[in-house]
Amino acid sequence: MDNSISITTAIPDDISVILSFIRGLAEYEKLSHVCIATEDKLRETLFGEHPYAEVLIARLNNEPVGFALFFHNYSTFLARPGIYLEDLFVLPAHRNKGVGKALLVKLAQIARERNCGRLEWSVLDWNQPAIDFYQRIGAKMLHEWRICRMTETEISNLANSK
């Protein structure tokens, strides 16, 4: 068996694979009940007139086994773009084979090519295997920062306020 990992930029034909990875991640994170992504929504937001994110697909022996979904953010302090990694997921049967690291290496290469000052992401505090993995590759945990979030209802309420 070859065990060769390849990382490619996703194309519209990868939509069903991307959605299956998103659903797998939602299940792993115990958040399936909030995962309402559809192939049509992904096609529009990833490959439509205004793409909002980019996706890398990891293949092991040409079989899709993981993905990374990311988009640009911006650091005013650095006056440079950054990359925010929204999702990183590898199928459970293919973990500990270098797939996650290969995805992050490719993302770091993209960040360097695009002159990004930061590569950032979030990890759930209970996901110790992921935390350990990220620290092994050199990521720093920013304990002094908290994530703030508004969903559709809160956004609407704020947008309608005076």
Side-chain angles (χ1 to χ4, degrees), residues 2-15:
D2 180 8
N3 283 339
S4 64
I5 300 168
S6 64
I7 309 295
T8 58
T9 301
I11 60 173
D13 288 348
D14 293 318
I15 289 288

Side-chain angles (χ1 to χ4, degrees), residues 6-72:
S6 64
I7 309 295
T8 58
T9 301
I11 60 173
D13 288 348
D14 293 318
I15 289 288
S16 63
V17 170
I18 295 168
L19 183 57
S20 72
F21 288 146
I22 291 170
R23 289 179 176 156
L25 177 62
E27 182 179 326
Y28 177 77
E29 292 184 345
K30 301 168 183 66
L31 294 170
S32 293
H33 61 285
V34 296
C35 183
I36 60 170
T38 65
E39 287 189 15
D40 287 340
K41 286 181 182 178
L42 289 172
R43 190 171 288 103
E44 177 187 337
T45 57
L46 297 177
F47 301 103
E49 185 177 343
H50 299 287
Y52 292 98
E54 299 173 63
V55 178
L56 299 174
I57 303 284
R59 290 180 172 82
L60 189 58
N61 303 317
N62 294 316
E63 175 190 352
V65 296
F67 87 124
L69 187 145
F70 64 98
F71 52 87
H72 281 279

Side-chain angles (χ1 to χ4, degrees), residues 5-159:
I5 300 168
S6 64
I7 309 295
T8 58
T9 301
I11 60 173
D13 288 348
D14 293 318
I15 289 288
S16 63
V17 170
I18 295 168
L19 183 57
S20 72
F21 288 146
I22 291 170
R23 289 179 176 156
L25 177 62
E27 182 179 326
Y28 177 77
E29 292 184 345
K30 301 168 183 66
L31 294 170
S32 293
H33 61 285
V34 296
C35 183
I36 60 170
T38 65
E39 287 189 15
D40 287 340
K41 286 181 182 178
L42 289 172
R43 190 171 288 103
E44 177 187 337
T45 57
L46 297 177
F47 301 103
E49 185 177 343
H50 299 287
Y52 292 98
E54 299 173 63
V55 178
L56 299 174
I57 303 284
R59 290 180 172 82
L60 189 58
N61 303 317
N62 294 316
E63 175 190 352
V65 296
F67 87 124
L69 187 145
F70 64 98
F71 52 87
H72 281 279
N73 56 17
Y74 188 81
S75 168
T76 55
F77 289 2
L78 300 178
R80 290 172 64 189
I83 287 180
Y84 186 82
L85 173 63
E86 177 67 20
D87 291 331
L88 177 71
F89 179 75
V90 176
L91 293 172
H94 299 285
R95 292 184 184 151
N96 299 309
K97 296 179 181 178
V99 176
K101 184 174 182 183
L103 283 163
L104 285 169
V105 166
K106 180 63 176 174
L107 198 52
Q109 291 168 348
I110 291 169
R112 184 179 58 200
E113 289 165 9
R114 297 180 185 181
N115 195 32
C116 294
R118 295 179 179 157
L119 171 56
E120 299 176 312
W121 62 91
S122 301
V123 61
L124 291 166
D125 61 1
W126 58 260
N127 193 349
Q128 197 60 50
I131 292 168
D132 293 344
F133 167 64
Y134 296 145
Q135 289 178 325
R136 274 195 311 273
I137 64 164
K140 308 275 187 285
M141 298 293 141
L142 303 177
H143 300 288
E144 66 275 13
W145 290 87
R146 297 292 184 262
I147 297 170
C148 299
R149 175 176 293 162
M150 288 185 159
T151 57
E152 198 170 351
T153 300
E154 293 87 5
I155 292 168
S156 182
N157 289 343
L158 182 59

